[in-house]
Amino acid sequence: MKKIYLLSFILLIGCSNTAKNKTDSKSQTKVPKEILIELSSSDNMLFDKKFIYVNSRQKITLTLNHIGEFDKKIMGHNFVLLKKGVDVTEYATRAMKARDNEYIAEGDDVIAHTKLIGGGESDTIIFDAPEKGSYIYICSFPGHYGVMRGILIVK
Ligand code: CU
């Protein structure tokens, strides 16, 4: 909390040089505690978002929708958010073999993930935003991560 106040204070000072008034800049720095994110996929094997923006310390409620028709055995999708520094190709290769675990590889590589869903299904997960930075998310269904991927940007 202290950090937020300090940040708004610095921003206020920064803004005093411009024409902006104080209440304006104050409302701009206020960040909601929770954020809802809707991510869609379908039989075309794509996510509808390449970038997702959140703020650190936010509670993220993410819903993954599959608006296609194919069964999850053929065109399954999930949302797998990888930790920083995880090699995407290496992870996806391991995940591909983890069919019994819905293509989530064993280990400590993932910040959060949904279950694997097929056409007409959706899944919602809740997790805390990680620290500031960029994080890659993929669909770990075999063969999908090359195109089904995006970046979660934590400001
Ligand atoms: Cu997929």
Side-chain angles (χ1 to χ4, degrees), residues 41-42 45-47 75-78 116 139-141 144-145 148:
S41 59
S42 72
M45 220 170 93
L46 290 171
F47 285 130
M75 185 52 74
H77 298 315
N78 60 12
L116 188 71
C139 168
S140 67
F141 190 89
H144 288 196
Y145 82 97
M148 286 191 81

Side-chain angles (χ1 to χ4, degrees), residues 111-128:
I111 294 168
H113 71 87
T114 65
K115 60 183 186 182
L116 188 71
I117 57 171
E121 296 178 324
S122 64
D123 188 37
T124 298
I125 54 170
I126 298 171
F127 60 100
D128 293 325

Side-chain angles (χ1 to χ4, degrees), residues 77-130:
H77 298 315
N78 60 12
F79 165 90
V80 181
L81 181 63
L82 298 174
K83 288 185 177 174
K84 235 179 233 174
V86 173
D87 183 306
V88 185
T89 304
E90 194 272 332
Y91 177 81
T93 307
R94 276 192 290 127
M96 204 166 71
K97 296 167 194 156
R99 189 170 65 179
D100 293 344
N101 195 34
E102 296 197 317
Y103 304 109
I104 302 299
E106 264 181 43
D108 194 26
D109 314 284
V110 169
I111 294 168
H113 71 87
T114 65
K115 60 183 186 182
L116 188 71
I117 57 171
E121 296 178 324
S122 64
D123 188 37
T124 298
I125 54 170
I126 298 171
F127 60 100
D128 293 325

